[in-house]
């Protein structure tokens, strides 16, 4: 029986290890399922490398995975910084990077498959849901690297072109938990909502401090001035508890989505590992491996460009639904569901996206002038302050 190597490149330690481990565990769960399925006449073998949160190590470790193990496919990277370090390596060695984390867009590579959402699939539907209900005056936060910069830039563009306003835009270094100055400025400027593009410990510290602010001043309770995020998942909200409760996240997957298929998948993942939370990052990494395996089964080879052509030509059944890689952008069409976090870490689905959103990574087909201003003002008059 043939054995095909698959590289897995996630930081299981360092400043953003919590979400990164979800990608790691999702990839491993999919490999285990594929290897146990007699429908696949081959086995996959995982070769893992841990950059420990050091962006300078990603390129070197990716190169080693490809050259030493022979892997044609690398599932990995969490931050946009690390992804951009890896792209020149896979392009030079003609391998494929399968990127399972939401990102800011404005990028395409023939050697990269974007399995998670870009801005028109996460930020745009999130703003479309939040602004008419709370208002169009925002405060933007972010970790000081490309994800925060670009996502906030897009939000600023949409809001200002749509009659809204950005009252402040502040960044902190990745992993920095000294965020008191953000809370002070938010208290002074009193926005309608906060867009949180912080990651890891910075985000957790911010949500804890913001909850304390809401307890002091009811204007900052989630029902009055929520924190909204494009990258906060159940693995994190489960541990954050009340600090995340009431705030909003957009995602291609929530474990609370009601369907027989999703219920079976979530139950099976929990049975395999009761302490594991199958959130969006987990599922997107899982889907990447399934797409690789299904393409190998179709083509009889793990050769990178043959696999890429296969996933462009037909859909693959995954926990995200049937996904197909867009030939022009190497992104996939995804839903943009919106959930409101509960104290138990799960989400109430407040907007169930019924049709997938075609990827538009350069926002060339997505109107940035949204009809927000009047609906936001009306919504503010109708809100109840407890």
């Amino acid at each position: 029986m043939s054995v095909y190597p698959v590289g897995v490149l996630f930081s299981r330690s360092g400043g953003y290890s919590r979400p990164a481990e979800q990608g790691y565990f999702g990839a491993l769960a999919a490999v285990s399922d594929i290897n146990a399925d007699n429908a696949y006449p081959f086995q996959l073998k995982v070769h893992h490398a841990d950059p420990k949160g050091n962006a300078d190590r990603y390129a070197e470790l990716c190169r080693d995975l490809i050259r030493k193990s022979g892997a044609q496919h690398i599932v990995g990277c969490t931050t946009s910084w690390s992804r951009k370090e890896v792209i020149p390596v896979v392009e030079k060695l003609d391998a494929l990077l399968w990127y399972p984390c939401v990102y800011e867009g404005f990028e395409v590579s023939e050697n990269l498959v974007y399995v998670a959402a870009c801005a028109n699939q996460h930020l745009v539907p999130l703003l479309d849901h939040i602004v008419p209900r709370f208002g169009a005056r925002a405060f933007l936060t972010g970790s000081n690297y490309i994800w925060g910069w670009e996502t906030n830039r897009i939000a600023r563009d949409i809001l200002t072109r749509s009659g809204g306003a950005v009252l402040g835009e502040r960044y902190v270094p990745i992993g920095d938990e000294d965020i008191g100055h953000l809370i002070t400025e938010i208290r002074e400027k009193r926005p309608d909502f906060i867009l949180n593009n912080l990651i890891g410990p910075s985000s957790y510290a911010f949500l804890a401090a913001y909850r304390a602010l809401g307890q002091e001043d009811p204007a900052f309770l989630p029902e009055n001035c929520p924190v909204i995020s494009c990258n906060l998942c159940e693995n994190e909200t489960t541990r954050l508890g009340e600090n995340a409760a009431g705030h909003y996240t957009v995602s291609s997957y929530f474990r609370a989505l009601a369907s027989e298929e999703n219920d079976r998948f979530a139950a099976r993942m929990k049975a395999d590992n009761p302490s594991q939370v199958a959130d969006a990052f987990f599922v997107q990494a899982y889907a990447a491996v399934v797409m690789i395996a299904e393409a190998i089964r179709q083509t009889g080879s793990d050769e990178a460009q043959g696999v890429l052509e296969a996933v462009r030509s037909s859909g693959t059944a995954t926990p995200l639904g049937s996904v197909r890689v867009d030939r022009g952008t190497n992104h996939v069409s995804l839903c943009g569901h919106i959930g409101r976090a509960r104290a138990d870490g799960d989400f109430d689905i407040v907007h169930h996206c019924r049709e997938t959103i075609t990827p538009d990574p350069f926002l060339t087909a997505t109107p940035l002038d949204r009809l927000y201003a009047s609906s936001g003002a009306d919504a503010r008059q109708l809100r109840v302050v407890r």
Side-chain angles (χ1 to χ4, degrees), residues 269-350:
M269 292 299 103
K270 190 171 185 62
D272 291 344
N273 186 349
S275 64
Q276 181 61 52
V277 178
D279 63 13
F281 199 177
F282 179 103
V283 169
Q284 286 151 189
Y286 183 101
V289 173
V290 172
M291 293 167 72
I292 294 166
E294 189 60 30
I296 293 174
R297 181 165 68 170
Q298 290 179 24
T299 63
S301 168
D302 68 341
E303 188 271 327
Q305 292 306 311
V307 165
L308 179 58
E309 179 58 31
V311 296
R312 285 170 165 174
S313 299
S314 60
T316 304
T318 77
L320 298 172
S322 178
V323 295
R324 177 185 296 193
V325 176
D326 177 72
R327 190 174 294 277
T329 66
N330 279 5
H331 292 62
V332 299
S333 294
L334 294 166
C335 289
H337 308 291
I338 297 171
R340 191 179 189 209
R342 304 198 310 240
D344 64 1
D346 220 328
F347 284 85
D348 292 320
I349 309 303
V350 298

Side-chain angles (χ1 to χ4, degrees), residues 129 139 143 166 196 201 207 232 246 253 278 283 287 297-298 306-307 310 313 348 356:
H129 181 85
F139 190 95
S143 292
V166 173
N196 173 22
L207 288 168
L232 194 67
Y253 176 89
V283 169
R297 181 165 68 170
Q298 290 179 24
V307 165
S313 299
D348 292 320
T356 59

Side-chain angles (χ1 to χ4, degrees), residues 112-133:
L112 203 159
V113 178
Y114 303 81
V115 186
C118 56
N120 80 298
Q121 298 167 312
H122 57 69
L123 178 62
V124 173
L126 181 60
L127 291 175
D128 284 350
H129 181 85
I130 293 295
V131 171
R133 290 163 174 81

Side-chain angles (χ1 to χ4, degrees), residues 326-383:
D326 177 72
R327 190 174 294 277
T329 66
N330 279 5
H331 292 62
V332 299
S333 294
L334 294 166
C335 289
H337 308 291
I338 297 171
R340 191 179 189 209
R342 304 198 310 240
D344 64 1
D346 220 328
F347 284 85
D348 292 320
I349 309 303
V350 298
H351 171 69
H352 193 153
C353 181
R354 301 296 177 181
E355 295 184 0
T356 59
I357 302 169
T358 301
D360 182 22
F362 294 97
L363 297 177
T364 57
T366 302
L368 299 184
D369 300 88
R370 322 295 288 184
L371 299 176
Y372 286 156
S374 61
S375 59
D378 292 341
R380 288 181 59 80
Q381 294 174 12
L382 295 174
R383 283 186 290 160

Side-chain angles (χ1 to χ4, degrees), residues 2 25 31-32 54 70 84 87 94 160 180 195 290 334 359 373:
S2 298
F25 286 122
V31 168
S32 178
N54 183 349
K84 288 184 178 294
I87 290 174
D94 200 23
T160 56
L195 176 60
V290 172
L334 294 166

Side-chain angles (χ1 to χ4, degrees), residues 3-129:
V3 177
Y4 296 105
V6 174
V8 175
L9 185 63
F10 290 110
S11 291
R12 299 193 63 198
S13 55
Y16 46 87
S17 59
R18 189 176 295 175
E21 276 208 325
Q22 289 298 95
Y24 170 81
F25 286 122
L28 265 60
V31 168
S32 178
D33 284 354
I34 296 298
N35 289 345
D37 190 340
N38 292 330
Y40 296 93
F42 55 83
Q43 297 277 284
L44 300 178
K45 183 177 180 180
V46 170
H47 297 264
H48 175 243
D50 182 356
K52 303 183 187 300
N54 183 349
D56 293 335
R57 300 201 65 213
Y58 277 85
E60 171 195 356
L61 291 175
C62 181
R63 189 178 301 110
D64 287 346
L65 284 171
I66 297 168
R67 287 179 170 168
K68 293 180 180 179
S69 74
Q72 292 287 294
H73 304 277
I74 307 296
V75 180
C77 298
T78 303
T79 66
S80 289
W81 187 358
S82 60
R83 184 189 70 253
K84 288 184 178 294
E85 292 293 318
V86 166
I87 290 174
V89 177
V90 293
E91 289 180 341
K92 180 177 180 179
L93 300 179
D94 200 23
L96 282 178
L97 171 66
W98 299 73
Y99 184 63
C101 190
V102 297
Y103 91 115
E104 64 283 344
F106 296 93
E107 181 183 285
V108 167
S109 169
E110 278 294 306
N111 293 84
L112 203 159
V113 178
Y114 303 81
V115 186
C118 56
N120 80 298
Q121 298 167 312
H122 57 69
L123 178 62
V124 173
L126 181 60
L127 291 175
D128 284 350
H129 181 85

